[in-house]
Amino acid sequence: MVEKGIIKILIGKLGLDGHDRGAKVLTSMLREAGTEVVYTGLYQTPEKIVRTAIQEDVDVIGMSFLSGEHMYYVPRVMKLLKRNNADSILVVVGGVIPADDIPKLKKVGAAEVFPADTPVPEIINFIKSNVHKDQ
Amino acid sequence: MAEIKKEKGERKEEFVTPSGIVYKRVYGPDDIKGIDLNRDIGEPGEYPYTRGTYASMYRSFPWMIRQVMGFGTPESTSERWKELMEKGGQTGYKKDEPATSIVFDMPTNYGYDSDNPIAYYQVGRVGIAVDHYKDFVSLMQNFPMDKGFVNMVVHGCPAIVTALYIAAAEELGYSIEKLRGSSKNDPFQTYLCERIQLLPIKAEIKLCLDLLEFCSKKMPAWNPISVEGFGYRSSGGDAIQELAITFAQAAGYLEGAVSRGLNINDFAQRISFFIASGINLLEEVAKYRAARRIWAKIVKENFGATNPKAMLFRTFTCTTAREYTAQQPFINIIRGTIQALAAVMGGAQAISVTPYDEVHEIPTMEAHTMAIRTQQIIAEESGVADTVDPLGGSYCVESLTSEIERRVWEYMAKIESWAEDNKQKYLSGMIKGVETGILSREIEDGSNKRQMDIESAKKIVVGVNKYTVDEKEAPFHVFRLDPELRRKKIDDLKIFKRERDNNKLQQTLKKLKVAAENNENVMPALIEAARARVTLEEAQNVFREVYGVADFWKGRAVALKK
């Protein structure tokens, strides 16, 4: 159960990709900013991410990609969220994402895409302004 | 000389290198007082090699322009290699000797075949997809395997991948003692930075040493380990951590090899390195100089080597994309140039300038070409390659060299202090550092600190927290992997498997299992299996069965049965 006012965020990496520096730094800084973060670690599947997100009752899912698989995994995660009536969760994506792919990711439902080196305050502000809270 | 007071009105309270060494206002003779000209600096090509691995360095032969490359199938990688050569890249030490640094896709690094469902979208995405020995036959059939240099930057499964390479070389008619190149084969770095933790660390080290031992006896022109420090910079470490952990790893492998009865004066000649080149020019040049001196001392004093060739620090380097930005990507060309300059003035043996678009995708030919031209201009026009160790004797650089060396020994002593085995201090110290997670945490702390420094503008990154622009569109086109390549690779694999003598294959797999279970050197059995058309995943499954999987994978789907 999410405490009133505290945003809960799931950060995870999908597929065979061990480049977790960004995800870890972000996790650390999001916690400093007063949010609650569930860091799922590496090698997640879409099913696992969505299941964990629902179990943990998160407000935000953040996925980090550095090996080119964002166009494969993000649509699958979005589909599963919808199927499970969990699509009010705010979904953001980050990492090594070609600029051309950003509109495509947004089209399938990612609220925002943060390329590498996006200042963390920008990410935090976006989340705070756009998260759907429980009524 | 009296302590020089800070001038009024300097831009900052303190000027520091990225690893935290304070830059003095100006350096002078006082700063090099403790340095002995002969003992510490000496001549290039002579112990302790501070000034250069070889006496005349680039005056005799250039560094290898060895761009890191690979994607899709062996055919598409071979094509890319040819294109890079047309631009003057992928050069060995001698004219017309093609060299290259190959990276592999994630499935290959994780020990999966291209047709495993877990691998699907990542086949050939970030490197070449290799499933069996014929892939190397396809790749290498147009290139000499006994000239030039093939550096295989293989993280996971290096013993298997090298066995596949050897089987391919045999089919193409080479005798293996002539093969020239290297296998990265560095389980500590793979565990800590790539986070590719397939088998338990001790099993990975065992296989690493098997490859080292096999090569030292049968492949004298091959470098069976390329100890990697590069990844530590990408993961958040600084230059001190990079060198300290690299050398602790390397010393650990030396200890392991010596405990198998190998002679330090023989096998150590073929230990090579792979470090990063960063943008803080003076620190990076000093880092190279300190690295040569430290390694020479380790091999001579800690291990008692008497062969000068065993003491040489020979290194490949990539300029570090950790310092590149996704914002205003073309300015990464400038960063790559300064980093490459550091590598040349530092004295690297082979250089890959990370292309400017690496922060967005794997590189296009345009970006690679820019990287190659960077090196060519430095070589032909800048003059820095025309004399050896051009910054040697600079008060600043000599002072930094000594300071870096001091800090690296300090960090290495820390790793040594974790040792549980007095005979193998570095090996057991590193194993402890990995198993307890201490090293991972220290490197992560570096990432966090850097991010805080950028957020607080203590550290300036042009395009990120200063001189930013509002970017609406991508200014260039990125590389797009042709999905056909993935389909083709999977189809080829199906055909390959159909055309096998399954009985013969099963026999070789049994032999491999027995060798592993009996703690024998697995390389001969691996090569036999490679000849019998084993796939990477099938070989890795034998190891998974015998050694178990790393803790990381317990409870996760490892390999789905087909």
mmCIF file of all heavy atoms in Angstrom, chain B residues 60-103:
data_model
loop_
_atom_site.group_PDB
_atom_site.id
_atom_site.type_symbol
_atom_site.label_atom_id
_atom_site.label_comp_id
_atom_site.label_asym_id
_atom_site.label_seq_id
_atom_site.Cartn_x
_atom_site.Cartn_y
_atom_site.Cartn_z
ATOM 1 N N SER B 60 59.259 3.720 -35.075
ATOM 2 C CA SER B 60 59.518 2.453 -35.765
ATOM 3 C C SER B 60 58.249 1.882 -36.384
ATOM 4 O O SER B 60 58.242 1.479 -37.532
ATOM 5 C CB SER B 60 60.056 1.410 -34.787
ATOM 6 O OG SER B 60 61.301 1.787 -34.315
ATOM 7 N N PHE B 61 57.215 1.797 -35.584
ATOM 8 C CA PHE B 61 55.958 1.306 -36.132
ATOM 9 C C PHE B 61 54.803 2.002 -35.421
ATOM 10 O O PHE B 61 54.890 2.329 -34.249
ATOM 11 C CB PHE B 61 55.842 -0.216 -36.025
ATOM 12 C CG PHE B 61 56.106 -0.754 -34.648
ATOM 13 C CD1 PHE B 61 55.093 -0.839 -33.714
ATOM 14 C CD2 PHE B 61 57.380 -1.193 -34.292
ATOM 15 C CE1 PHE B 61 55.334 -1.329 -32.450
ATOM 16 C CE2 PHE B 61 57.630 -1.687 -33.024
ATOM 17 C CZ PHE B 61 56.604 -1.747 -32.099
ATOM 18 N N PRO B 62 53.740 2.257 -36.193
ATOM 19 C CA PRO B 62 52.630 3.021 -35.617
ATOM 20 C C PRO B 62 51.818 2.169 -34.645
ATOM 21 O O PRO B 62 51.995 0.959 -34.587
ATOM 22 C CB PRO B 62 51.784 3.362 -36.846
ATOM 23 C CG PRO B 62 52.028 2.231 -37.792
ATOM 24 C CD PRO B 62 53.442 1.768 -37.545
ATOM 25 N N TRP B 63 50.938 2.822 -33.887
ATOM 26 C CA TRP B 63 49.986 2.047 -33.113
ATOM 27 C C TRP B 63 48.981 1.433 -34.083
ATOM 28 O O TRP B 63 48.779 1.930 -35.193
ATOM 29 C CB TRP B 63 49.279 2.933 -32.074
ATOM 30 C CG TRP B 63 48.436 4.025 -32.670
ATOM 31 C CD1 TRP B 63 47.127 3.958 -33.040
ATOM 32 C CD2 TRP B 63 48.851 5.358 -32.991
ATOM 33 N NE1 TRP B 63 46.705 5.146 -33.568
ATOM 34 C CE2 TRP B 63 47.741 6.043 -33.544
ATOM 35 C CE3 TRP B 63 50.071 6.065 -32.867
ATOM 36 C CZ2 TRP B 63 47.801 7.371 -33.957
ATOM 37 C CZ3 TRP B 63 50.130 7.380 -33.282
ATOM 38 C CH2 TRP B 63 49.006 8.022 -33.824
ATOM 39 N N MET B 64 48.342 0.356 -33.678
ATOM 40 C CA MET B 64 47.322 -0.241 -34.544
ATOM 41 C C MET B 64 46.068 0.625 -34.463
ATOM 42 O O MET B 64 45.615 0.969 -33.365
ATOM 43 C CB MET B 64 46.970 -1.652 -34.063
ATOM 44 C CG MET B 64 48.128 -2.632 -34.087
ATOM 45 S SD MET B 64 47.486 -4.315 -33.868
ATOM 46 C CE MET B 64 48.843 -5.093 -33.020
ATOM 47 N N ILE B 65 45.523 0.976 -35.597
ATOM 48 C CA ILE B 65 44.214 1.628 -35.612
ATOM 49 C C ILE B 65 43.217 0.479 -35.614
ATOM 50 O O ILE B 65 42.989 -0.167 -36.636
ATOM 51 C CB ILE B 65 44.022 2.513 -36.863
ATOM 52 C CG1 ILE B 65 45.042 3.651 -36.849
ATOM 53 C CG2 ILE B 65 42.596 3.057 -36.911
ATOM 54 C CD1 ILE B 65 44.953 4.582 -38.061
ATOM 55 N N ARG B 66 42.675 0.175 -34.427
ATOM 56 C CA ARG B 66 41.931 -1.070 -34.278
ATOM 57 C C ARG B 66 40.542 -0.776 -33.733
ATOM 58 O O ARG B 66 40.253 -1.039 -32.570
ATOM 59 C CB ARG B 66 42.715 -1.980 -33.319
ATOM 60 C CG ARG B 66 42.859 -3.398 -33.788
ATOM 61 C CD ARG B 66 43.875 -4.145 -32.975
ATOM 62 N NE ARG B 66 43.461 -4.341 -31.608
ATOM 63 C CZ ARG B 66 44.280 -4.797 -30.660
ATOM 64 N NH1 ARG B 66 45.538 -5.083 -30.947
ATOM 65 N NH2 ARG B 66 43.838 -4.959 -29.426
ATOM 66 N N GLN B 67 39.712 -0.185 -34.599
ATOM 67 C CA GLN B 67 38.364 0.174 -34.179
ATOM 68 C C GLN B 67 37.590 -1.050 -33.726
ATOM 69 O O GLN B 67 37.612 -2.095 -34.389
ATOM 70 C CB GLN B 67 37.606 0.858 -35.330
ATOM 71 C CG GLN B 67 38.155 2.210 -35.755
ATOM 72 C CD GLN B 67 38.030 3.264 -34.666
ATOM 73 O OE1 GLN B 67 39.025 3.679 -34.099
ATOM 74 N NE2 GLN B 67 36.807 3.656 -34.370
ATOM 75 N N VAL B 68 36.901 -0.893 -32.609
ATOM 76 C CA VAL B 68 36.050 -1.962 -32.104
ATOM 77 C C VAL B 68 34.851 -2.077 -33.035
ATOM 78 O O VAL B 68 34.216 -1.067 -33.352
ATOM 79 C CB VAL B 68 35.600 -1.626 -30.661
ATOM 80 C CG1 VAL B 68 34.421 -2.469 -30.260
ATOM 81 C CG2 VAL B 68 36.754 -1.834 -29.707
ATOM 82 N N MET B 69 34.556 -3.287 -33.523
ATOM 83 C CA MET B 69 33.476 -3.425 -34.477
ATOM 84 C C MET B 69 32.847 -4.818 -34.405
ATOM 85 O O MET B 69 33.379 -5.707 -33.770
ATOM 86 C CB MET B 69 33.980 -3.140 -35.880
ATOM 87 C CG MET B 69 35.246 -3.891 -36.235
ATOM 88 S SD MET B 69 35.126 -4.751 -37.784
ATOM 89 C CE MET B 69 35.166 -6.423 -37.211
ATOM 90 N N GLY B 70 31.752 -4.949 -35.079
ATOM 91 C CA GLY B 70 31.069 -6.235 -35.117
ATOM 92 C C GLY B 70 29.590 -6.047 -34.942
ATOM 93 O O GLY B 70 29.142 -5.313 -34.062
ATOM 94 N N PHE B 71 28.813 -6.663 -35.815
ATOM 95 C CA PHE B 71 27.365 -6.689 -35.655
ATOM 96 C C PHE B 71 26.792 -7.724 -36.596
ATOM 97 O O PHE B 71 27.416 -8.087 -37.601
ATOM 98 C CB PHE B 71 26.730 -5.317 -35.940
ATOM 99 C CG PHE B 71 26.868 -4.856 -37.368
ATOM 100 C CD1 PHE B 71 25.937 -5.222 -38.340
ATOM 101 C CD2 PHE B 71 27.935 -4.056 -37.737
ATOM 102 C CE1 PHE B 71 26.079 -4.806 -39.659
ATOM 103 C CE2 PHE B 71 28.081 -3.633 -39.051
ATOM 104 C CZ PHE B 71 27.152 -4.013 -40.012
ATOM 105 N N GLY B 72 25.604 -8.199 -36.276
ATOM 106 C CA GLY B 72 24.898 -9.111 -37.185
ATOM 107 C C GLY B 72 25.607 -10.438 -37.363
ATOM 108 O O GLY B 72 25.985 -11.106 -36.408
ATOM 109 N N THR B 73 25.787 -10.786 -38.631
ATOM 110 C CA THR B 73 26.354 -12.079 -38.981
ATOM 111 C C THR B 73 27.853 -11.936 -39.239
ATOM 112 O O THR B 73 28.363 -10.813 -39.357
ATOM 113 C CB THR B 73 25.701 -12.595 -40.279
ATOM 114 O OG1 THR B 73 25.967 -11.624 -41.300
ATOM 115 C CG2 THR B 73 24.199 -12.786 -40.121
ATOM 116 N N PRO B 74 28.561 -13.068 -39.359
ATOM 117 C CA PRO B 74 29.973 -12.982 -39.757
ATOM 118 C C PRO B 74 30.150 -12.247 -41.086
ATOM 119 O O PRO B 74 31.123 -11.502 -41.260
ATOM 120 C CB PRO B 74 30.385 -14.450 -39.898
ATOM 121 C CG PRO B 74 29.460 -15.191 -38.997
ATOM 122 C CD PRO B 74 28.166 -14.441 -39.013
ATOM 123 N N GLU B 75 29.202 -12.438 -42.014
ATOM 124 C CA GLU B 75 29.315 -11.778 -43.313
ATOM 125 C C GLU B 75 29.196 -10.266 -43.178
ATOM 126 O O GLU B 75 29.978 -9.516 -43.767
ATOM 127 C CB GLU B 75 28.221 -12.283 -44.277
ATOM 128 C CG GLU B 75 28.391 -13.737 -44.722
ATOM 129 C CD GLU B 75 28.021 -14.734 -43.643
ATOM 130 O OE1 GLU B 75 27.245 -14.376 -42.724
ATOM 131 O OE2 GLU B 75 28.496 -15.889 -43.708
ATOM 132 N N SER B 76 28.221 -9.803 -42.389
ATOM 133 C CA SER B 76 28.050 -8.348 -42.257
ATOM 134 C C SER B 76 29.231 -7.750 -41.500
ATOM 135 O O SER B 76 29.658 -6.628 -41.786
ATOM 136 C CB SER B 76 26.723 -8.000 -41.573
ATOM 137 O OG SER B 76 26.643 -8.556 -40.284
ATOM 138 N N THR B 77 29.786 -8.504 -40.546
ATOM 139 C CA THR B 77 30.955 -8.016 -39.803
ATOM 140 C C THR B 77 32.169 -7.950 -40.725
ATOM 141 O O THR B 77 32.946 -6.989 -40.686
ATOM 142 C CB THR B 77 31.243 -8.925 -38.592
ATOM 143 O OG1 THR B 77 30.091 -8.944 -37.755
ATOM 144 C CG2 THR B 77 32.437 -8.440 -37.798
ATOM 145 N N SER B 78 32.312 -8.962 -41.563
ATOM 146 C CA SER B 78 33.417 -9.005 -42.524
ATOM 147 C C SER B 78 33.335 -7.818 -43.489
ATOM 148 O O SER B 78 34.333 -7.175 -43.804
ATOM 149 C CB SER B 78 33.338 -10.341 -43.267
ATOM 150 O OG SER B 78 34.270 -10.382 -44.301
ATOM 151 N N GLU B 79 32.118 -7.512 -43.925
ATOM 152 C CA GLU B 79 31.868 -6.360 -44.803
ATOM 153 C C GLU B 79 32.316 -5.066 -44.129
ATOM 154 O O GLU B 79 32.982 -4.226 -44.735
ATOM 155 C CB GLU B 79 30.361 -6.225 -45.071
ATOM 156 C CG GLU B 79 29.845 -6.991 -46.257
ATOM 157 C CD GLU B 79 30.571 -6.623 -47.522
ATOM 158 O OE1 GLU B 79 30.619 -5.415 -47.862
ATOM 159 O OE2 GLU B 79 31.132 -7.529 -48.175
ATOM 160 N N ARG B 80 31.896 -4.916 -42.887
ATOM 161 C CA ARG B 80 32.225 -3.703 -42.134
ATOM 162 C C ARG B 80 33.751 -3.585 -41.974
ATOM 163 O O ARG B 80 34.324 -2.522 -42.105
ATOM 164 C CB ARG B 80 31.526 -3.742 -40.766
ATOM 165 C CG ARG B 80 31.845 -2.614 -39.786
ATOM 166 C CD ARG B 80 31.648 -1.221 -40.330
ATOM 167 N NE ARG B 80 30.283 -0.821 -40.542
ATOM 168 C CZ ARG B 80 29.519 -0.158 -39.666
ATOM 169 N NH1 ARG B 80 30.004 0.138 -38.479
ATOM 170 N NH2 ARG B 80 28.302 0.214 -39.966
ATOM 171 N N TRP B 81 34.399 -4.723 -41.716
ATOM 172 C CA TRP B 81 35.852 -4.736 -41.558
ATOM 173 C C TRP B 81 36.509 -4.203 -42.841
ATOM 174 O O TRP B 81 37.407 -3.362 -42.793
ATOM 175 C CB TRP B 81 36.318 -6.165 -41.245
ATOM 176 C CG TRP B 81 37.749 -6.339 -40.855
ATOM 177 C CD1 TRP B 81 38.767 -5.441 -40.909
ATOM 178 C CD2 TRP B 81 38.328 -7.546 -40.344
ATOM 179 N NE1 TRP B 81 39.926 -5.990 -40.473
ATOM 180 C CE2 TRP B 81 39.703 -7.274 -40.113
ATOM 181 C CE3 TRP B 81 37.827 -8.818 -40.057
ATOM 182 C CZ2 TRP B 81 40.572 -8.254 -39.613
ATOM 183 C CZ3 TRP B 81 38.692 -9.775 -39.557
ATOM 184 C CH2 TRP B 81 40.051 -9.503 -39.344
ATOM 185 N N LYS B 82 36.015 -4.689 -43.976
ATOM 186 C CA LYS B 82 36.584 -4.248 -45.261
ATOM 187 C C LYS B 82 36.370 -2.751 -45.457
ATOM 188 O O LYS B 82 37.270 -2.033 -45.881
ATOM 189 C CB LYS B 82 35.929 -5.001 -46.428
ATOM 190 C CG LYS B 82 36.449 -6.391 -46.629
ATOM 191 C CD LYS B 82 36.091 -6.936 -48.015
ATOM 192 C CE LYS B 82 35.968 -8.453 -47.996
ATOM 193 N NZ LYS B 82 34.591 -8.941 -48.232
ATOM 194 N N GLU B 83 35.165 -2.278 -45.155
ATOM 195 C CA GLU B 83 34.872 -0.849 -45.301
ATOM 196 C C GLU B 83 35.804 -0.012 -44.436
ATOM 197 O O GLU B 83 36.275 1.045 -44.849
ATOM 198 C CB GLU B 83 33.433 -0.552 -44.862
ATOM 199 C CG GLU B 83 32.357 -0.984 -45.852
ATOM 200 C CD GLU B 83 30.961 -0.674 -45.308
ATOM 201 O OE1 GLU B 83 30.493 -1.398 -44.408
ATOM 202 O OE2 GLU B 83 30.359 0.306 -45.773
ATOM 203 N N LEU B 84 36.049 -0.471 -43.212
ATOM 204 C CA LEU B 84 36.935 0.269 -42.316
ATOM 205 C C LEU B 84 38.360 0.288 -42.856
ATOM 206 O O LEU B 84 39.061 1.300 -42.755
ATOM 207 C CB LEU B 84 36.912 -0.350 -40.914
ATOM 208 C CG LEU B 84 35.600 -0.193 -40.145
ATOM 209 C CD1 LEU B 84 35.591 -1.092 -38.920
ATOM 210 C CD2 LEU B 84 35.393 1.244 -39.716
ATOM 211 N N MET B 85 38.758 -0.803 -43.483
ATOM 212 C CA MET B 85 40.103 -0.847 -44.062
ATOM 213 C C MET B 85 40.223 0.115 -45.233
ATOM 214 O O MET B 85 41.266 0.729 -45.447
ATOM 215 C CB MET B 85 40.444 -2.267 -44.516
ATOM 216 C CG MET B 85 40.764 -3.178 -43.353
ATOM 217 S SD MET B 85 41.118 -4.851 -43.879
ATOM 218 C CE MET B 85 42.630 -4.615 -44.774
ATOM 219 N N GLU B 86 39.132 0.249 -45.993
ATOM 220 C CA GLU B 86 39.164 1.186 -47.121
ATOM 221 C C GLU B 86 39.405 2.618 -46.656
ATOM 222 O O GLU B 86 39.917 3.437 -47.399
ATOM 223 C CB GLU B 86 37.850 1.121 -47.903
ATOM 224 C CG GLU B 86 37.791 -0.029 -48.892
ATOM 225 C CD GLU B 86 36.361 -0.379 -49.301
ATOM 226 O OE1 GLU B 86 35.485 0.506 -49.177
ATOM 227 O OE2 GLU B 86 36.143 -1.529 -49.717
ATOM 228 N N LYS B 87 39.010 2.906 -45.404
ATOM 229 C CA LYS B 87 39.237 4.247 -44.853
ATOM 230 C C LYS B 87 40.606 4.351 -44.192
ATOM 231 O O LYS B 87 40.946 5.377 -43.615
ATOM 232 C CB LYS B 87 38.167 4.567 -43.796
ATOM 233 C CG LYS B 87 36.745 4.480 -44.294
ATOM 234 C CD LYS B 87 36.426 5.579 -45.281
ATOM 235 C CE LYS B 87 34.970 5.487 -45.697
ATOM 236 N NZ LYS B 87 34.643 6.238 -46.882
ATOM 237 N N GLY B 88 41.368 3.265 -44.246
ATOM 238 C CA GLY B 88 42.696 3.299 -43.641
ATOM 239 C C GLY B 88 42.732 2.790 -42.217
ATOM 240 O O GLY B 88 43.742 2.909 -41.529
ATOM 241 N N GLY B 89 41.613 2.220 -41.771
ATOM 242 C CA GLY B 89 41.564 1.700 -40.419
ATOM 243 C C GLY B 89 41.890 0.216 -40.382
ATOM 244 O O GLY B 89 42.181 -0.394 -41.400
ATOM 245 N N GLN B 90 41.828 -0.330 -39.198
ATOM 246 C CA GLN B 90 42.073 -1.764 -38.973
ATOM 247 C C GLN B 90 43.452 -2.162 -39.510
ATOM 248 O O GLN B 90 43.605 -3.089 -40.304
ATOM 249 C CB GLN B 90 40.964 -2.630 -39.608
ATOM 250 C CG GLN B 90 39.539 -2.185 -39.310
ATOM 251 C CD GLN B 90 39.275 -1.846 -37.864
ATOM 252 O OE1 GLN B 90 39.560 -0.725 -37.407
ATOM 253 N NE2 GLN B 90 38.734 -2.773 -37.102
ATOM 254 N N THR B 91 44.441 -1.420 -39.044
ATOM 255 C CA THR B 91 45.814 -1.671 -39.486
ATOM 256 C C THR B 91 46.617 -2.317 -38.366
ATOM 257 O O THR B 91 46.492 -1.935 -37.215
ATOM 258 C CB THR B 91 46.502 -0.347 -39.853
ATOM 259 O OG1 THR B 91 46.361 0.557 -38.738
ATOM 260 C CG2 THR B 91 45.879 0.292 -41.070
ATOM 261 N N GLY B 92 47.430 -3.287 -38.750
ATOM 262 C CA GLY B 92 48.338 -3.899 -37.789
ATOM 263 C C GLY B 92 49.595 -3.050 -37.689
ATOM 264 O O GLY B 92 49.614 -1.905 -38.125
ATOM 265 N N TYR B 93 50.648 -3.604 -37.130
ATOM 266 C CA TYR B 93 51.903 -2.864 -37.054
ATOM 267 C C TYR B 93 52.521 -2.674 -38.427
ATOM 268 O O TYR B 93 53.174 -1.684 -38.707
ATOM 269 C CB TYR B 93 52.905 -3.605 -36.170
ATOM 270 C CG TYR B 93 52.585 -3.578 -34.690
ATOM 271 C CD1 TYR B 93 52.799 -4.700 -33.902
ATOM 272 C CD2 TYR B 93 52.083 -2.443 -34.072
ATOM 273 C CE1 TYR B 93 52.541 -4.689 -32.545
ATOM 274 C CE2 TYR B 93 51.808 -2.431 -32.716
ATOM 275 C CZ TYR B 93 52.037 -3.551 -31.962
ATOM 276 O OH TYR B 93 51.780 -3.541 -30.615
ATOM 277 N N LYS B 94 52.343 -3.678 -39.279
ATOM 278 C CA LYS B 94 52.976 -3.598 -40.595
ATOM 279 C C LYS B 94 51.933 -3.244 -41.644
ATOM 280 O O LYS B 94 50.755 -3.541 -41.521
ATOM 281 C CB LYS B 94 53.633 -4.930 -40.958
ATOM 282 C CG LYS B 94 54.736 -5.350 -40.021
ATOM 283 C CD LYS B 94 55.779 -6.204 -40.762
ATOM 284 C CE LYS B 94 56.872 -6.642 -39.818
ATOM 285 N NZ LYS B 94 56.636 -8.013 -39.294
ATOM 286 N N LYS B 95 52.404 -2.655 -42.722
ATOM 287 C CA LYS B 95 51.558 -2.272 -43.840
ATOM 288 C C LYS B 95 50.838 -3.506 -44.355
ATOM 289 O O LYS B 95 51.397 -4.584 -44.430
ATOM 290 C CB LYS B 95 52.463 -1.713 -44.954
ATOM 291 C CG LYS B 95 51.781 -0.787 -45.918
ATOM 292 C CD LYS B 95 52.849 -0.142 -46.820
ATOM 293 C CE LYS B 95 52.282 0.800 -47.845
ATOM 294 N NZ LYS B 95 51.364 0.235 -48.812
ATOM 295 N N ASP B 96 49.574 -3.326 -44.739
ATOM 296 C CA ASP B 96 48.782 -4.413 -45.317
ATOM 297 C C ASP B 96 48.558 -5.590 -44.379
ATOM 298 O O ASP B 96 48.300 -6.699 -44.835
ATOM 299 C CB ASP B 96 49.410 -4.953 -46.616
ATOM 300 C CG ASP B 96 49.536 -3.863 -47.644
ATOM 301 O OD1 ASP B 96 48.707 -2.936 -47.633
ATOM 302 O OD2 ASP B 96 50.489 -3.906 -48.452
ATOM 303 N N GLU B 97 48.680 -5.391 -43.098
ATOM 304 C CA GLU B 97 48.343 -6.468 -42.168
ATOM 305 C C GLU B 97 47.079 -6.075 -41.425
ATOM 306 O O GLU B 97 47.135 -5.266 -40.513
ATOM 307 C CB GLU B 97 49.484 -6.706 -41.176
ATOM 308 C CG GLU B 97 50.657 -7.414 -41.797
ATOM 309 C CD GLU B 97 51.646 -7.924 -40.776
ATOM 310 O OE1 GLU B 97 51.487 -7.590 -39.580
ATOM 311 O OE2 GLU B 97 52.568 -8.649 -41.167
ATOM 312 N N PRO B 98 45.937 -6.644 -41.818
ATOM 313 C CA PRO B 98 44.681 -6.215 -41.216
ATOM 314 C C PRO B 98 44.595 -6.604 -39.745
ATOM 315 O O PRO B 98 44.969 -7.719 -39.378
ATOM 316 C CB PRO B 98 43.613 -6.968 -42.007
ATOM 317 C CG PRO B 98 44.297 -7.563 -43.168
ATOM 318 C CD PRO B 98 45.729 -7.694 -42.828
ATOM 319 N N ALA B 99 44.108 -5.672 -38.956
ATOM 320 C CA ALA B 99 43.893 -5.943 -37.539
ATOM 321 C C ALA B 99 42.458 -5.562 -37.228
ATOM 322 O O ALA B 99 41.827 -4.831 -37.979
ATOM 323 C CB ALA B 99 44.855 -5.106 -36.698
ATOM 324 N N THR B 100 41.930 -6.066 -36.152
ATOM 325 C CA THR B 100 40.602 -5.628 -35.758
ATOM 326 C C THR B 100 40.341 -5.965 -34.304
ATOM 327 O O THR B 100 41.042 -6.791 -33.714
ATOM 328 C CB THR B 100 39.503 -6.244 -36.654
ATOM 329 O OG1 THR B 100 38.290 -5.501 -36.463
ATOM 330 C CG2 THR B 100 39.231 -7.702 -36.305
ATOM 331 N N SER B 101 39.356 -5.303 -33.730
ATOM 332 C CA SER B 101 38.871 -5.646 -32.392
ATOM 333 C C SER B 101 37.393 -5.975 -32.536
ATOM 334 O O SER B 101 36.601 -5.127 -32.925
ATOM 335 C CB SER B 101 39.056 -4.459 -31.436
ATOM 336 O OG SER B 101 40.418 -4.194 -31.259
ATOM 337 N N ILE B 102 37.067 -7.228 -32.245
ATOM 338 C CA ILE B 102 35.700 -7.698 -32.480
ATOM 339 C C ILE B 102 34.922 -7.755 -31.174
ATOM 340 O O ILE B 102 35.425 -8.281 -30.176
ATOM 341 C CB ILE B 102 35.702 -9.132 -33.055
ATOM 342 C CG1 ILE B 102 36.601 -9.212 -34.280
ATOM 343 C CG2 ILE B 102 34.296 -9.591 -33.399
ATOM 344 C CD1 ILE B 102 36.727 -10.617 -34.809
ATOM 345 N N VAL B 103 33.714 -7.228 -31.201
ATOM 346 C CA VAL B 103 32.822 -7.416 -30.055
ATOM 347 C C VAL B 103 31.710 -8.371 -30.457
ATOM 348 O O VAL B 103 31.363 -8.478 -31.631
ATOM 349 C CB VAL B 103 32.225 -6.095 -29.528
ATOM 350 C CG1 VAL B 103 33.233 -5.369 -28.666
ATOM 351 C CG2 VAL B 103 31.727 -5.221 -30.643
#
